[in-house]
Amino acid sequence: MPNIPLPKRNADGSYTTSPAGMAIDADGANGQTGGVPVYARKGFTPAPLDFLANAGGPGNWFGVVTDTGEEDGRPAKQNASGPAPGAYVSATSYRWPTLARIDPLAYVDAASVPYIVLPSHWRKEAIGVVLGCKAIVEDTKTGKILEAAGVLVGLLAIFFLSGEAVRGCKRWRELKRKSSNLI
């Protein structure tokens, strides 16, 4: 991702980005709320939300948790007690500290929780921006506002300014567009 400069701070202490498009990412969706997981082996039923190739590959895994915690490890699979047994565990920057790194329930469910991820350098530069800050996403075509549950920074490839947000935001966009027949 290019080094996009941090926007100027508003008088109220918030930051506002320029309008941008939005694509959807689902890293962290492990079936936590009964949904479909983001990554699984070929032939997994139901079909996962994303192609496994978008999580990396042998020697360079970045979208799934590995057994060693390193990019050259083997992808960790959910066990029989996981929400989607056999699917790979996908991570978010936030992890419940009391749960194991390979536990699919340790991560924010991108399929049901609307959030965005800011470029990691913004977190270092911005005053008062921390994990869990409130984010407001506006659909500039309709004026519809979404208050995101939190802002995560870092590990995920979800960059708001380059046009990505999580699947939870997509569901919000689909619900509002269904009512206006724009899908």
Side-chain angles (χ1 to χ4, degrees):
M1 174 176 176
N3 194 14
I4 299 168
L6 177 70
K8 192 173 173 180
R9 192 170 187 207
N10 299 322
D12 66 358
S14 66
Y15 294 85
T16 304
T17 63
S18 301
M22 184 185 337
I24 305 301
D25 192 293
D27 287 356
N30 292 309
Q32 298 96 314
T33 57
V36 178
V38 65
Y39 298 118
R41 71 194 179 320
K42 188 175 183 176
F44 186 88
T45 303
L49 299 173
D50 201 355
F51 297 107
L52 186 57
N54 290 333
N60 186 29
W61 292 107
F62 47 82
V64 295
V65 175
T66 64
D67 56 354
T68 63
E70 302 296 326
E71 64 185 27
D72 61 352
R74 295 171 61 148
K77 288 184 182 178
Q78 296 185 33
N79 62 30
S81 65
Y88 297 116
V89 177
S90 179
T92 58
S93 295
Y94 182 81
R95 180 178 65 114
W96 298 106
T98 57
L99 298 176
R101 181 182 55 77
I102 61 170
D103 186 334
L105 300 177
Y107 303 99
V108 179
D109 180 10
S112 64
V113 177
Y115 66 88
I116 64 169
V117 176
L118 299 174
S120 59
H121 65 279
W122 283 13
R123 184 168 179 221
K124 296 172 189 155
E125 298 171 20
I127 298 168
V129 175
V130 296
L131 292 176
C133 280
K134 181 171 126 180
I136 297 174
V137 179
E138 178 182 358
D139 183 322
T140 57
K141 291 181 181 177
T142 66
K144 174 95 173 156
I145 301 290
L146 168 70
E147 291 191 14
V151 177
L152 304 179
V153 182
L155 176 67
L156 301 175
I158 306 169
F159 302 107
F160 185 56
L161 285 182
S162 68
E164 291 191 36
V166 297
R167 194 168 172 82
C169 291
K170 179 181 186 281
R171 185 168 46 181
W172 159 75
R173 290 183 71 204
E174 286 176 345
L175 289 174
K176 74 167 178 50
R177 290 200 173 168
K178 281 183 182 174
S179 65
S180 60
N181 296 322
L182 294 176
I183 294 183

